[in-house]
Amino acid sequence: MPKENITIKDIAARAGVSTGTVDRVLHNRPNVSKSALEKVNKALAEMDYRPNMYASALAYNKTYDFYIVLPKHEQEAYWDEIEEGAQACTDFRRDFGISLKFVYYERFNHQSFTKMARELFTAKIDGVIIVPSTLEQTSRFTQKLMERKIPYVLLDSYMPDLKPLAFFGQDSFASGYFAARMLMLIASKEKEIAIVKQTRDGNVGSKQQANRETGFRHYMVDHFPEIKISEVDLPLDEERKEYDTILEKFFKAHPQIHHCITFNSKAHLVGEFLQRSNRRDIQIMGYDMVHKNEECVRQGSISFLIAQHAYQQGYASVNALFEAIVMKRAVTPVNYMPIEILTKENVAFYRRTAI
């Protein structure tokens, strides 16, 4: 008998029990004797029965409330692609009763994250996707999720001590190391290069950015220790019009710099400045295929972009919750995204697709 055509009635006849008993065993319900359980399990093994999990999940007619926790952000940011991917997976799985709600916190604001968490725990929660804040804050949040047996997925920054259901993102150290290697293909003869940062109170926006810089500096120490690395900060609290002044002053004071890198998605801040000031002797390398970065690549003021598949991360994170919670399947715990480099010649062929 084909495995997919095996019915509860067939299993009951093989085991010598009622169809109601088989139904209780298949759905892990109580009130099944030890003897009946053994008979049913033996029949299932002999018939090599494999349940149609999709049909079973649909038959339950349950609803599942998933949440995704993100930092507040501007439009045209890396996070927009994560949101789009997450929503696309939610729409694809909507027949299973899945809904997704977006909640936000302010980076560098501990009270904002605490307030978000407090409000979230007043709702019905079946699964959570988290872009971490600090390790301490995120740990407190995930501890409460574990106490309530709510599965959670981490995005962007991997914190293995938190033991998430799954993680989706780049190996940020390897990404920074790779970025340095690519940059040095065109800057190996330089005496000085620059790292462009955006900070608040001396802190960058995420652990991922810090790890990228660590990987970058490791490569430089290993292979180009003679090249000086200077830093310029575009403070997050400043108005954008102030950035031109900061950059003009920096490049005037460092005339030997012709290449720079940023480890967030804001390389376009420098790229657009270079275009406005008609500077053709300086190029920047950055991260993320956001529209403004793409335009700078096309115009030539950004030499390389490293793509980290934000859309895929969003899609896959929702799908991981779906597989674990709805389908009761195991999921891969650590999922590193490809490290891909985009240039003027191939940027048009980069596509956001689900995995």
Side-chain angles (χ1 to χ4, degrees), residues 231-294:
E231 295 184 9
V232 57
D233 185 19
L234 304 179
L236 283 164
D237 293 324
E238 293 286 349
E239 295 289 336
R240 288 202 177 191
K241 62 183 179 181
E242 300 298 326
Y243 293 161
D244 281 11
T245 302
I246 294 171
L247 291 169
E248 186 66 48
K249 181 178 179 180
F250 176 80
F251 287 123
K252 186 175 181 180
H254 298 80
Q256 293 191 110
I257 289 180
H258 303 291
H259 297 278
C260 45
I261 185 169
T262 182
F263 299 109
N264 61 16
S265 61
K266 298 300 181 67
H268 60 83
L269 293 176
V270 183
E272 290 170 346
F273 160 77
L274 297 174
Q275 291 175 34
R276 287 192 297 271
S277 56
N278 200 30
R279 299 288 295 268
R280 300 297 179 182
D281 60 330
I282 300 171
Q283 287 193 326
I284 185 168
M285 181 178 184
Y287 279 77
D288 300 327
M289 179 62 167
V290 299
H291 177 69
K292 290 181 179 179
N293 283 347
E294 179 185 1

Side-chain angles (χ1 to χ4, degrees), residues 2-281:
K3 297 168 189 175
E4 61 270 21
N5 293 331
I6 296 173
T7 66
I8 288 180
K9 187 176 180 181
D10 297 325
I11 300 167
R14 181 74 170 245
V17 298
S18 69
T19 55
T21 297
V22 175
D23 184 74
R24 286 194 291 275
V25 172
L26 292 177
H27 295 96
N28 296 312
R29 296 186 184 124
N31 302 321
V32 179
S33 69
K34 182 179 179 181
S35 174
L37 179 62
E38 290 175 352
K39 290 178 181 179
V40 173
N41 284 334
K42 181 181 178 184
L44 293 174
E46 291 173 348
M47 302 171 80
D48 195 16
Y49 173 73
R50 298 177 186 178
N52 186 330
M53 298 299 292
Y54 280 87
S56 298
L58 286 169
Y60 273 122
N61 199 30
K62 290 181 63 176
T63 59
Y64 303 88
D65 296 318
F66 296 163
Y67 288 80
I68 181 167
V69 175
L70 292 161
K72 291 182 179 178
H73 56 273
E74 304 169 345
Q75 289 185 335
E76 296 290 350
Y78 157 74
W79 310 112
D80 284 349
E81 289 201 49
I82 285 182
E83 290 181 358
E84 290 173 23
Q87 190 61 58
C89 185
T90 304
D91 293 341
F92 182 66
R93 302 296 192 186
R94 195 169 297 282
D95 288 347
F96 292 87
I98 289 174
S99 69
L100 180 68
K101 299 179 178 66
F102 296 87
V103 293
Y104 302 93
Y105 65 91
E106 295 178 17
R107 279 202 184 274
F108 309 104
N109 187 330
H110 291 189
Q111 290 182 340
S112 173
F113 191 90
T114 301
K115 182 174 182 290
M116 174 280 301
R118 187 184 305 118
E119 292 175 353
L120 187 62
F121 282 119
T122 64
K124 173 182 173 289
I125 310 171
D126 294 295
V128 184
I129 301 159
I130 309 165
V131 174
S133 177
T134 64
L135 176 59
E136 181 182 359
Q137 279 199 304
T138 309
S139 180
R140 287 199 297 266
F141 180 46
T142 56
Q143 182 62 40
K144 291 181 180 179
L145 291 172
M146 286 190 288
E147 290 170 0
R148 302 183 186 200
K149 298 183 179 179
I150 299 171
Y152 56 91
V153 171
L154 293 185
L155 286 182
D156 187 58
S157 297
Y158 185 34
M159 298 178 175
D161 290 345
L162 302 186
K163 296 180 172 58
L165 171 71
F167 163 75
F168 294 91
Q170 280 188 343
D171 181 328
S172 48
F173 179 92
S175 176
Y177 201 88
F178 172 80
R181 183 177 182 184
M182 293 300 101
L183 183 60
M184 286 303 102
L185 291 177
I186 59 174
S188 61
K189 304 299 182 183
E190 300 297 317
K191 296 181 179 180
E192 184 179 5
I193 60 173
I195 293 176
V196 182
K197 295 184 177 181
Q198 279 196 300
T199 67
R200 180 174 294 164
D201 299 325
N203 298 312
V204 294
S206 70
K207 179 184 176 184
Q208 185 187 57
Q209 290 180 45
N211 286 345
R212 287 172 181 167
E213 181 178 342
T214 300
F216 182 91
R217 289 184 178 275
H218 267 263
Y219 180 90
M220 296 302 295
V221 169
D222 290 344
H223 300 280
F224 294 91
E226 74 282 2
I227 295 181
K228 180 182 178 182
I229 300 176
S230 298
E231 295 184 9
V232 57
D233 185 19
L234 304 179
L236 283 164
D237 293 324
E238 293 286 349
E239 295 289 336
R240 288 202 177 191
K241 62 183 179 181
E242 300 298 326
Y243 293 161
D244 281 11
T245 302
I246 294 171
L247 291 169
E248 186 66 48
K249 181 178 179 180
F250 176 80
F251 287 123
K252 186 175 181 180
H254 298 80
Q256 293 191 110
I257 289 180
H258 303 291
H259 297 278
C260 45
I261 185 169
T262 182
F263 299 109
N264 61 16
S265 61
K266 298 300 181 67
H268 60 83
L269 293 176
V270 183
E272 290 170 346
F273 160 77
L274 297 174
Q275 291 175 34
R276 287 192 297 271
S277 56
N278 200 30
R279 299 288 295 268
R280 300 297 179 182
D281 60 330

